[in-house]
Amino acid sequence: MNKNVLRKIGLTSLFFLLTLGGCQKTTALKTEEYDLAIIDSKNITTFLEKDDKLEKVEQLKRTDGNLNFWRNNFWKMDDHYYTKTSENPKLEVSLAKIGRDLSIDLVKAEGNDAYTSNVDGEFFYTTACFSDRTEFYKYDKNLKLQLKKELRKKESILTNQLIPLGEYLYVLCGYTNPDDGSSKNMLVKMTKEFEVIEETNLGDETSAYMRMVHFQNKLYITEANTSVSATGEPGEANRVLVYDLATKNKAYLTLTYPYPMEIYVDEPNENLIIRHYELYVKSYTWTVYNLKDQTESFIHFPEYEKLEQEKHINPPFFTQDSGYYYFMFDDQLTKYDPKTNTPIKLDLSAYDFEDTSALIMNK
């Protein structure tokens, strides 16, 4: 059974136990053109977007087991999106390929997990983490396994992020020594056949490095927290490590808000988009950090503070399209213009969405 316990801060995405069969595909495909589609636990609902308003096109009943999708690793390759599913009652996880025609192909995941994942235009890479080994998998565009390889070390290894760059894979890992519990943040460079080329200790052993993106030959890595208090609370951190792949030099960006988690890059605008851990930072706060000007702007969702206090809800699904950022909750879709720092709130409450987990763009 996978040892999926993150060092210090864990990911907070909730996966629900839903009915899920074996390899299957949806039969209710789109019949009309659309701009965006929202997948919730029961349906796929399509919309046209006109003058910053949504017009419903059609609603398709899901026939793929009503599973949820992994919103933090949701990758576009050609005209499809690749991710993993929630567990079914048998604790089985599948890989998912979602088409713009709204077909959903499912294949049981090797290792029964995809602890992290990514695509390179040709293949879909995933990992599974166990107490005594970490497994790496390469799938083709049809989710057919092409290669599997194990990495075994004395330490247990958590693969927190994987990025394909050119001929190589860069994997952000947390190594934990089973003898004394000491840990270190490692950057592992691999071939695409999973041969280890180089391991780099990133330092900051008391910190948890969580996610990374690549931009202009540098890796930007979030420091989710530093150390742990006697009561088990994670120590506050508000930095992004900047690792230069050419020189191997390190630098840091300092953020106003602490506990940075997921990180994305908007290359045309030279922005980093960073989610902060909502358990410790209120209002489901995001930072937009402009690398050119080294300035910050912030996106807050205070309307969800009360609901977060009553019960945990997932942070919004995030995606980018046509120069805009989209943040989706069950009852609201926010379209954000990074050039003017202007949010436009689109009400979804009339559609009674339940456990939305994917936003498909078709523009």
Side-chain angles (χ1 to χ4, degrees):
M1 185 174 181
N2 293 1
K3 185 181 179 182
N4 289 341
V5 181
L6 279 177
R7 177 168 54 96
K8 302 166 188 173
I9 285 185
L11 294 181
T12 59
S13 297
L14 296 181
F15 294 135
F16 298 88
L17 298 180
L18 302 169
T19 301
L20 175 61
C23 182
Q24 53 187 300
K25 182 172 182 174
T26 50
T27 55
L29 304 183
K30 76 173 184 68
T31 62
E32 301 180 50
E33 290 305 311
Y34 69 95
D35 290 329
L36 58 88
I38 295 175
I39 302 179
D40 73 336
S41 61
K42 297 179 181 179
N43 303 297
I44 305 175
T45 309
T46 61
F47 298 89
L48 294 175
E49 186 180 354
K50 295 182 179 179
D51 300 324
D52 295 325
K53 294 183 180 180
L54 296 180
E55 294 182 6
K56 180 181 173 183
V57 177
E58 61 181 335
Q59 190 169 78
L60 309 170
K61 185 70 176 177
R62 291 183 62 182
T63 59
D64 56 12
N66 299 347
L67 64 154
N68 286 345
F69 298 108
W70 190 20
R71 59 182 62 205
N72 297 326
N73 280 250
F74 199 89
W75 308 108
K76 186 176 182 297
M77 183 161 56
D78 296 338
D79 289 329
H80 293 85
Y81 296 85
Y82 293 79
T83 186
K84 76 172 181 180
T85 72
S86 54
E87 296 176 338
N88 68 6
K90 295 181 180 180
L91 303 181
E92 296 171 335
V93 172
S94 289
L95 303 180
K97 172 185 174 184
I98 306 171
R100 287 192 173 183
D101 62 355
L102 303 181
S103 61
I104 302 177
D105 293 298
L106 301 176
V107 173
K108 189 177 184 302
E110 292 286 331
N112 200 38
D113 200 2
Y115 199 78
T116 189
S117 68
N118 214 324
V119 297
D120 66 357
E122 187 176 2
F123 296 104
F124 179 37
Y125 302 89
T126 72
T127 70
C129 301
F130 302 85
S131 60
D132 62 341
R133 71 195 186 281
T134 297
E135 295 182 352
F136 293 82
Y137 314 99
K138 179 196 285 190
Y139 299 87
D140 66 16
K141 293 179 181 179
N142 294 316
L143 299 181
K144 183 177 179 180
L145 182 66
Q146 301 297 304
L147 180 65
K148 170 185 174 181
K149 190 165 184 179
E150 294 182 358
L151 177 62
R152 289 180 179 267
K153 288 185 173 292
K154 176 182 178 180
E155 301 95 340
S156 61
I157 303 173
L158 292 177
T159 52
N160 290 326
Q161 184 79 69
L162 181 153
I163 296 180
L165 290 176
E167 298 178 356
Y168 301 103
L169 303 174
Y170 289 85
V171 190
L172 177 65
C173 298
Y175 284 19
T176 302
N177 188 315
D179 294 335
D180 59 11
S182 62
S183 58
K184 53 187 176 181
N185 299 290
M186 301 293 293
L187 182 65
V188 180
K189 180 180 179 181
M190 294 180 157
T191 69
K192 291 187 175 179
E193 286 70 47
F194 306 133
E195 297 290 339
V196 175
I197 302 297
E198 186 178 34
E199 294 176 281
T200 301
N201 189 336
L202 297 173
D204 302 317
E205 282 78 9
T206 62
S207 299
Y209 286 160
M210 194 59 62
R211 293 288 183 264
M212 66 180 179
V213 292
H214 170 258
F215 181 61
Q216 295 182 344
N217 210 35
K218 295 178 180 178
L219 296 174
Y220 293 85
I221 306 171
T222 56
E223 184 182 27
N225 66 280
T226 178
S227 70
V228 177
S229 71
T231 61
E233 292 296 318
E236 185 173 296
N238 64 337
R239 300 189 304 178
V240 174
L241 169 64
V242 184
Y243 183 81
D244 191 309
L245 289 170
T247 66
K248 299 184 180 179
N249 290 334
K250 296 194 304 179
Y252 296 89
L253 305 177
T254 301
L255 306 174
T256 297
Y257 288 97
Y259 301 107
M261 296 288 285
E262 274 73 47
I263 183 169
Y264 307 87
V265 62
D266 169 9
E267 294 189 6
N269 292 310
E270 298 188 32
N271 285 336
L272 300 176
I273 307 115
I274 302 164
R275 179 177 77 85
H276 299 271
Y277 189 27
E278 64 277 0
L279 184 62
Y280 297 100
V281 182
K282 294 182 178 180
S283 300
Y284 290 85
T285 294
W286 295 65
T287 293
V288 179
Y289 190 100
N290 184 264
L291 293 168
K292 184 177 181 180
D293 299 333
Q294 295 188 335
T295 57
E296 296 174 292
S297 56
F298 309 106
I299 305 169
H300 304 282
F301 298 94
E303 59 269 39
Y304 293 100
E305 278 190 30
K306 182 178 180 182
L307 187 58
E308 170 62 23
Q309 293 172 359
E310 295 173 352
K311 66 172 185 177
H312 178 80
I313 61 173
N314 283 326
F317 180 97
F318 172 78
T319 192
Q320 304 177 61
D321 190 79
S322 303
Y324 292 93
Y325 307 160
Y326 289 82
F327 302 85
M328 182 180 68
F329 289 93
D330 283 357
D331 61 352
Q332 180 178 268
L333 177 63
T334 296
K335 177 181 178 181
Y336 182 85
D337 186 343
K339 293 182 178 179
T340 62
N341 298 326
T342 303
I344 298 170
K345 309 262 185 179
L346 305 173
D347 186 16
L348 301 176
S349 59
Y351 303 103
D352 296 322
F353 291 135
E354 182 178 338
D355 299 330
T356 57
S357 59
L359 179 65
I360 305 299
M361 309 304 292
N362 190 42
K363 297 182 180 181

